[in-house]
Amino acid sequence: MLIPSSHPIAALTLFFLAASIPVASAADVELDLESIIVVAPVLDEDGTAVGESMLGEMSLNGQVDTLLENGTRLRLRTTLRAQSDHPQRPGGVAFFALPGGGPTGGFSGVGSGDPLNRGALRTRLETAYLQVDGGYGEVRIGKDRGVAARFFEGAPETLTHARLDSSLLDVTGLSVLRTRHDLTGPSLKLSYATPRLLGLRAGVSLTPEASADGLDRRIGLAPEDLNRAIEVALNGSRSLRDRDLKLEGTLAWSRGQLDGRNSGRATHRDAVETWSAGLRLTQGEWTTGLSWLNSDDGQVSGDYTAWSAGLGRRVGRIGLSLNYGEADLSNPRPKSRTWRIGSRYTLSENAGIGLSLIEDKLAGPDIYAKSSGIVVEITLSTQIFDLSEN
């Protein structure tokens, strides 16, 4: 997507690039491929639950780093992903057959209606941004997550894609719990993050038009357009080396304007506003975390609230985790209760296998669906190209 030089985002980027002259003195080029397979050999389904026995994803990641003579670093990063997810959950959107119907939540992506069936393999350019790192902080422009999602802190999980919180591959079709604060998905945006001072780092992201049709965050199925979004986030990190203790936390807020045929009605808001917070504590081989998110979902009485907590331990090449979370979708959407007990074995630097007992449940006055069983997640990564030039 081309941006005219008169666009404020483009103008600001050109300013940072101009300030980065003279010419580069070093460059690194990397290209790698990652494959994930998620298999659910045993699923016990109840109510309206319909699971999938096998899902998968492949991602091609490219990165070019250039170090300028004045110490400024330029980075160009791109990610192309191909994914086969649950056919009823494209981009994390979910429709449940509830009486009365209704619009999709501005943040949650959950609504009332006939369940979707989008089973085809989807391929998307999820990441394509330019990053400038200097003494005054970091600037990114392009397709990327905003600072609220990037600064996320929460519970450790042994599964990377079929995880409990903000799942990327949803074998049960019931995973609606999301505390990773990603309002705009991979939409074109401008982000700035300060240097870390006294353990604190602040950031802001501006998204003029949130038009993402991403694999994990899809905007546009609701009768609303999300535009003029702003995200503000604060991340803190503190290490106590004498106690082998590290504490990390985050606080974020976002707001996006909703323009559509439902905006302005008595039951709908003209904007969607969201808050989130997270905490992560690591001591030795133990890690614990907690995250929380609340959004008005763009509706007067349609709040979405979610939280998750977990505990993890590392024993050599084996990682163990225990996670639980809940999400409440009001008026009249269901409540979600979900848990994971998992382990992961690192086979090598480029391969790992995870095994987890899972349960996802949705319950409300007009819906009941529960799916539980065993999930196996296999991750393989391959470095295709690596060139370092000094």
Side-chain angles (χ1 to χ4, degrees):
M1 182 178 182
L2 297 177
I3 306 175
S5 59
S6 59
H7 196 288
I9 291 181
L12 188 56
T13 303
L14 292 174
F15 170 78
F16 276 94
L17 289 176
S20 300
I21 301 173
V23 190
S25 60
D28 297 304
V29 182
E30 298 178 6
L31 185 65
D32 63 78
L33 178 68
E34 184 180 49
S35 303
I36 296 93
I37 299 174
V38 174
V39 181
V42 179
L43 279 182
D44 181 18
E45 298 168 345
D46 194 9
T48 58
V50 179
E52 291 288 309
S53 60
M54 180 177 292
L55 304 173
E57 177 179 314
M58 294 184 67
S59 62
L60 184 64
N61 308 291
Q63 182 169 299
V64 180
D65 280 297
T66 301
L67 183 64
L68 305 181
E69 292 181 355
N70 64 359
T72 301
R73 181 175 293 277
L74 303 182
R75 171 175 293 171
L76 182 63
R77 183 168 180 82
T78 181
T79 300
L80 178 66
R81 294 169 59 196
Q83 184 185 86
S84 177
D85 200 357
H86 196 290
Q88 295 181 358
R89 300 301 309 280
V93 173
F95 285 96
F96 299 103
L98 299 173
T104 308
F107 176 84
S108 69
V110 178
S112 302
D114 293 331
L116 300 171
N117 188 8
R118 310 286 175 88
L121 179 71
R122 303 174 69 222
T123 303
R124 296 291 187 272
L125 182 65
E126 288 279 298
T127 302
Y129 66 80
L130 173 67
Q131 177 176 319
V132 183
D133 283 308
Y136 295 101
E138 168 199 288
V139 173
R140 289 187 186 183
I141 180 173
K143 291 173 65 67
D144 185 28
R145 296 179 304 163
V147 293
R150 286 166 47 201
F151 284 14
F152 172 82
E153 302 289 355
E157 297 201 47
T158 50
L159 300 185
T160 62
H161 283 60
R163 62 198 185 204
L164 175 145
D165 195 331
S166 312
S167 65
L168 306 182
L169 293 173
D170 180 9
V171 294
T172 68
L174 305 175
S175 181
V176 299
L177 190 155
R178 182 156 62 98
T179 67
R180 292 175 189 258
H181 192 152
D182 187 5
L183 176 66
T184 58
S187 302
L188 181 68
K189 59 175 58 68
L190 172 69
S191 297
Y192 168 73
T194 68
R196 193 173 292 277
L197 300 173
L198 301 176
L200 295 177
R201 189 184 194 199
V204 59
S205 293
L206 304 175
T207 306
E209 181 180 349
S211 57
D213 182 19
L215 299 182
D216 310 314
R217 174 66 171 149
R218 188 174 190 180
I219 300 169
L221 285 180
E224 319 285 341
D225 293 321
L226 180 61
N227 298 310
R228 302 183 295 283
I230 180 172
E231 305 171 40
V232 180
L234 180 68
N235 180 274
S237 178
R238 175 77 173 177
S239 295
L240 302 176
R241 301 186 185 280
D242 56 334
R243 300 182 182 179
D244 195 18
L245 183 67
K246 185 175 183 180
L247 180 65
E248 300 166 285
T250 186
L251 179 65
W253 168 85
S254 69
R255 181 181 174 86
Q257 194 71 28
L258 292 173
D259 303 314
R261 67 170 182 262
N262 282 320
S263 299
R265 291 188 180 182
T267 57
H268 299 80
R269 300 180 187 272
D270 294 329
V272 54
E273 187 170 5
T274 306
W275 287 88
S276 68
L279 189 65
R280 188 180 182 97
L281 178 65
T282 303
Q283 184 171 39
E285 301 298 324
W286 290 91
T287 302
T288 186
L290 173 70
S291 56
W292 165 89
L293 181 142
N294 176 261
S295 176
D296 62 27
D297 236 7
Q299 301 177 57
V300 173
S301 58
D303 282 8
Y304 170 85
T305 302
W307 67 269
S308 68
L311 176 68
R313 177 173 168 77
R314 188 78 185 175
V315 183
R317 291 190 172 189
I318 300 177
L320 305 171
S321 67
L322 171 64
N323 298 86
Y324 178 81
E326 298 184 358
D328 291 342
L329 299 98
S330 59
N331 190 33
R333 290 167 289 171
K335 299 180 184 296
S336 168
R337 306 291 183 266
T338 181
W339 56 263
R340 302 280 191 276
I341 301 175
S343 64
R344 180 178 180 83
Y345 181 71
T346 302
L347 299 169
S348 68
E349 184 179 334
N350 300 317
I353 182 169
L355 176 67
S356 183
L357 298 176
I358 74 168
E359 181 177 283
D360 293 336
K361 182 172 71 172
L362 294 177
D366 301 296
I367 184 173
Y368 179 80
K370 185 176 79 170
S371 184
S372 58
I374 299 173
V375 170
V376 179
E377 182 180 273
I378 302 171
T379 304
L380 301 171
S381 61
T382 304
Q383 189 172 72
I384 300 173
F385 186 78
D386 186 8
L387 173 64
S388 181
E389 182 179 296
N390 295 304

